[in-house]
């Protein structure tokens, strides 16, 4: 028995034999000619489409329908045949033909067509794999897929009903595999050092996507515990599903808006399916990481527009780039800082490199035009005072003027810096909405670095000092009649949600996985009880006392 | 060779699904069908039966599209493809 640890990427617990996916093809597989490979690719794509349609995922099915047309496309294949006639290997010929065709689409400078260029390359790569005779990953029984990493086209091939869990040596919480696992509600643990070596020849694995633990060949006790935990998690998901269509409200019917936090456009559909009334926080860092140059406005517009279209008339709050010296971008010169969390980050970075923010704002406005959204919501992180807000407002006005844009953006701020709490009334007079980021607010109010494990016990937003800060923001914003949302992790914590609603917060934005638990907790408590809880919580002396006090109310849920 | 000119009313132009709808309809005819995006590049013509060719024309909303057909069912192809474009290619116009 071996215990390993990685990043908990999708909740739940699975116990099943491992299916190790290698990168190499076992045994000298037979090569196919172009026509036979196209037939294989089309059959695979039709199978994928049928499976997605049967699962009610029409939008994703449309992608593979278009890809099946591309795989048979006479122009694409003519390009490959020319190269084969010139003596090139078949697999390289189709990839080169795909690259050439994709380049034409990209040169049209249209975000929608740029996305189709990726489809062309994906299809060409699929045909090339079929030429080389590479087998697709086929599960023959319910298994935990073990691999170094999973490419999107490989994960799409896996039969979901046989996919018990995912364990990867690479990957991260925002990688494609993590998103897929959450969408399919399959437990997943990623970034596990030593996984492939440990899992080689193993008979069974436990993957605990809630704690991030993986056990290779578990003993009887661990096995029984994991099966019990898996059943409990499945029962919880079933209860959450039953609550999907119910709005977030107190027992006496006071409605609170329920929104989702997402970090990638692919997560938008899952948020809708879970019952989100909007996106309270679209993190945009996914656009900026893992690349050598800054993304242009068209690429950003395409990504944001896909989320806006998914949500239609429901609000989507796009947060401007929030990075700093702790995770420098290769194309933004940064000076090492002693205290990156108190340094040149978020809009402070943008003030030094205004072109970053200018391009992003143009991308957001273009996305709104494309998606037909009249009032896109833009949110500035790390705003400390009015000068910060006015700087972003000026850049936004300039972007509007330069693009002759007809949309009317609403500009809000993240309240996470203590100074913004103290002058919330001033900020609310000029901002269109406020959203409290409780994670950063907690670390700043309590002066406790949230990346320092030694201080983990000081990161509870239920601390009376943080609760008082939230109360001040609500009171300050009320003078201008500006709504206050919360988009930190506190919103997705059942007791945290009760406290926030009791303090006067009218919108909670969280990971959709928390929707069910928060609906149950709030649905069991009247508005008067939530307010009384919040009032007493402000007078406690630490977070533990607040949690003890609220424990009774939570047992009703 | 017979032909007609139509204006594209779809909000997203001949991209993705509308393009797939158009190409699948065109593939149902024996006639050789060629299209040109008069608004972007009148010198570039593509087979209406090629999704890649159609996408590469970069047809956006409001663009004028020339459809030409030659062969046994050319007249019917033009009539039906023209009607399909006019109906919004399965998309709600203006949505």
């Amino acid at each position: 028995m071996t215990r390993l640890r990685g990043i908990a990427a999708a909740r739940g617990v699975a116990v099943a034999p491992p299916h190790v996916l290698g990168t190499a093809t076992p045994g000298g597989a037979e090569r196919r000619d172009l026509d036979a490979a196209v037939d294989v690719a089309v059959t695979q794509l039709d199978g994928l489409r049928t499976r997605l349609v049967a699962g009610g995922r029409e939008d994703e099915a449309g992608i593979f329908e278009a890809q099946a047309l591309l795989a048979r496309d006479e122009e694409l294949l003519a390009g490959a045949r020319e190269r084969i006639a010139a003596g090139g290997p078949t697999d390289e010929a189709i990839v080169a033909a795909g690259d050439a065709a994709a380049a034409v689409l990209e040169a049209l400078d249209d975000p929608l067509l740029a996305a189709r260029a990726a489809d062309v390359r994906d299809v060409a790569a699929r045909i090339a794999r079929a030429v080389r005779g590479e087998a697709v990953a086929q599960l023959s029984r319910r298994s935990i897929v073990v691999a170094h990493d999973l490419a999107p086209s490989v994960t799409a091939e896996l039969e979901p009903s046989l996919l018990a869990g995912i364990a990867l040596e690479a990957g991260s919480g925002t990688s494609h595999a993590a998103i897929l696992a959450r969408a399919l509600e399959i437990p997943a643990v990623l970034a596990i050092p030593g996984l492939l070596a440990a899992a080689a020849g193993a008979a069974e694995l436990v993957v605990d996507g809630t704690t991030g633990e993986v056990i290779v060949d578990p003993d009887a006790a661990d096995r029984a515990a994991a099966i019990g935990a898996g059943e409990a998690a499945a029962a919880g998901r079933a209860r959450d599903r039953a609550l999907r269509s119910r709005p977030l409200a107190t027992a006496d019917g006071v409605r609170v808006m329920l929104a989702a936090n997402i970090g990638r456009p692919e997560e938008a559909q899952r948020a809708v399916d879970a019952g989100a009334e909007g996106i309270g926080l679209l993190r945009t860092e996914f656009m900026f990481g893992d690349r050598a140059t800054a993304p242009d406005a068209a690429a950003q517009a395409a990504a944001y527009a896909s989320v806006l279209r998914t949500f239609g008339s429901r609000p989507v709050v796009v947060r401007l780039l929030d990075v700093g010296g702790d995770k420098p971008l290769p194309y933004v010169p940064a000076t090492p800082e002693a205290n990156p969390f108190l340094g040149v980050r978020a809009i402070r970075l943008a003030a030094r490199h205004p072109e970053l923010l200018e391009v992003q704002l143009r991308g957001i406005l273009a996305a709104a035009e494309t998606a037909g959204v009249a009032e896109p919501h833009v949110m500035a992180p790390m705003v400390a005072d009015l000068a910060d807000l006015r700087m972003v407002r000026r850049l936004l006005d300039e972007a509007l003027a330069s693009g002759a844009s007809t949309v009317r953006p609403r500009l809000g701020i993240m309240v996470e810096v203590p100074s913004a709490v103290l002058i919330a009334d001033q900020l609310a007079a000029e901002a269109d909405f406020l959203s409290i980021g409780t994670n950063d607010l907690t670390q700043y109010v309590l002066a406790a670095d949230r990346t320092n494990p030694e201080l983990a016990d000081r990161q509870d937003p239920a601390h009376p000092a943080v609760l008082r800060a939230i109360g001040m923001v609500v009171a300050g914003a009320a003078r201008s009649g500006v709504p206050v949302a919360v988009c930190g992790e506190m919103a997705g914590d059942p007791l945290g949600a009760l406290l926030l609603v009791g303090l006067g917060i009218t919108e909670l934005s969280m990971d959709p996985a928390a929707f069910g638990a928060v609906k149950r907790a709030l649905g069991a408590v009247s508005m008067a009880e939530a307010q009384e809880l919040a009032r007493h919580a402000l007078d406690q002396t630490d977070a533990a006392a607040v949690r003890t006090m609220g424990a009774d109310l939570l047992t009703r849920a | 060779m017979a032909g007609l000119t139509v204006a594209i009313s779809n909000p997203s132009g001949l991209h993705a699904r509308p393009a797939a709808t158009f190409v699948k309809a065109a593939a149902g005819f024996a006639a050789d069908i060629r299209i040109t995006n008069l608004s972007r590049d009148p010198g570039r013509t593509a087979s209406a039966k090629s999704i890649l060719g159609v996408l590469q024309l970069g047809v956006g909303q409001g663009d004028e599209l020339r459809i030409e057909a030659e062969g046994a069912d050319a007249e019917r192809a033009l009539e039906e493809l023209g009607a399909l474009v006019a109906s919004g290619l399965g998309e709600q116009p203006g949505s």
Side-chain angles (χ1 to χ4, degrees), chain A residues 490-545:
Chain A
M490 184 182 187
D493 165 44
L495 180 64
L498 294 188
L499 290 164
L500 292 171
V501 171
L503 287 167
I505 298 294
T506 53
E507 175 186 333
L508 299 179
S509 190
M510 64 195 79
D511 185 308
F515 283 2
V518 168
K519 282 181 182 177
R520 282 197 296 277
L522 195 61
V525 172
S526 72
M527 191 65 187
E529 286 171 319
Q531 286 167 340
E532 195 187 326
L533 169 74
R535 208 164 37 241
H536 286 129
L538 295 175
D539 292 332
Q540 301 303 305
T541 53
D542 57 32

Side-chain angles (χ1 to χ4, degrees), chain A residues 132-306:
Chain A
R132 291 191 295 268
E134 288 176 12
V136 291
Q138 292 217 328
L139 302 177
S140 51
R141 56 175 176 170
R142 204 171 143 72
S143 314
I144 290 168
V145 165
V146 174
H148 180 73
D149 203 352
L150 282 179
S153 53
V154 175
T155 41
E157 308 283 353
L158 298 166
E159 168 58 43
S161 66
L162 296 177
L163 190 55
I166 295 175
L168 303 181
E169 191 146 331
S172 74
T174 56
S175 63
H176 177 84
I179 293 156
L180 176 97
R182 289 196 289 263
L184 296 176
E185 299 186 339
I186 290 166
V189 179
L190 311 184
I192 312 161
L195 170 71
L196 290 171
E204 195 171 56
L205 290 192
V206 168
V207 168
D208 188 333
T210 310
T211 64
E213 188 171 54
V214 169
I215 309 174
V216 180
D217 289 328
D219 63 23
D222 279 326
R223 198 170 180 280
I227 290 171
E231 284 167 358
R237 280 197 297 270
R239 266 186 319 195
D240 290 351
R241 265 195 296 277
L243 289 174
R244 245 171 222 184
S245 57
R246 198 171 97 184
L248 177 60
T250 61
D252 51 337
V254 180
R255 290 282 304 269
V256 176
M257 180 169 165
L258 179 64
N261 296 348
I262 63 172
R264 300 191 73 89
E266 304 91 286
E267 296 173 39
Q269 189 57 49
R270 168 177 161 254
V272 171
D273 294 345
E277 297 171 65
I279 295 290
L281 172 62
L282 168 59
R283 300 182 188 91
T284 56
E285 289 72 60
F286 73 90
M287 279 301 322
F288 295 86
D290 298 329
R291 49 186 304 148
T293 55
D296 64 15
Q300 295 193 49
Y304 307 150
S306 79

Side-chain angles (χ1 to χ4, degrees), chain A residues 58-59 62 65-66 69-70 73-76 101 104-105 108 110 112-113 116 120, chain B residues 12 15-17 20 23-24 40 44 46-47 49-53 55-58:
Chain A
E58 298 278 352
D59 277 352
E65 183 173 10
L69 275 178
L70 280 170
D73 191 88
E74 57 188 65
E75 297 209 0
L76 177 67
V104 174
L105 292 176
L108 292 170
D110 176 322
L112 284 170
L113 287 174
R116 298 286 79 73
V120 174
Chain B
S12 58
H15 296 167
R17 271 193 194 168
V23 168
K24 277 193 281 188
R40 187 189 271 268
R44 185 180 183 113
S47 164
K49 298 178 185 182
S50 161
I51 179 94
L52 192 56
L55 290 175
Q56 286 176 340
L57 294 179

Side-chain angles (χ1 to χ4, degrees), chain B residues 27-92:
Chain B
F29 298 100
D32 181 30
I33 310 170
R34 313 285 302 171
I35 61 171
T36 311
N37 181 1
L38 300 177
S39 306
R40 187 189 271 268
D41 183 357
R44 185 180 183 113
T45 292
S47 164
K49 298 178 185 182
S50 161
I51 179 94
L52 192 56
V54 171
L55 290 175
Q56 286 176 340
L57 294 179
V59 184
Q61 186 174 20
D63 282 359
E64 295 224 309
L65 198 68
R66 176 79 185 163
I67 312 177
E68 295 186 327
E70 191 163 21
D73 52 2
E75 289 296 334
R76 198 165 56 84
L78 288 175
E79 199 175 296
E80 292 194 13
L81 290 175
L84 185 64
V85 169
S87 75
L89 290 157
E91 274 196 335
Q92 291 294 317

Side-chain angles (χ1 to χ4, degrees), chain A residues 380-446:
Chain A
M382 278 290 276
V383 168
D385 58 19
L386 272 176
D388 287 342
L389 173 57
R390 286 173 180 163
M391 185 266 296
V392 180
R393 175 79 74 185
R394 181 175 54 75
L395 291 174
L396 182 58
D397 287 343
E398 285 169 10
L400 272 171
S402 76
S405 187
T406 56
V407 300
R408 297 177 305 282
R410 296 175 61 76
L411 177 61
I413 61 164
M414 286 275 278
V415 179
E416 49 196 337
V417 180
S419 62
V421 172
L422 300 170
I423 56 168
D425 56 334
Q426 295 177 0
L427 293 166
E430 294 192 20
D432 296 318
F433 59 93
L434 304 184
S435 184
I436 304 176
T438 48
N439 305 358
D440 273 334
L441 182 63
T442 304
Q443 81 160 345
Y444 291 133
V445 165
L446 297 173

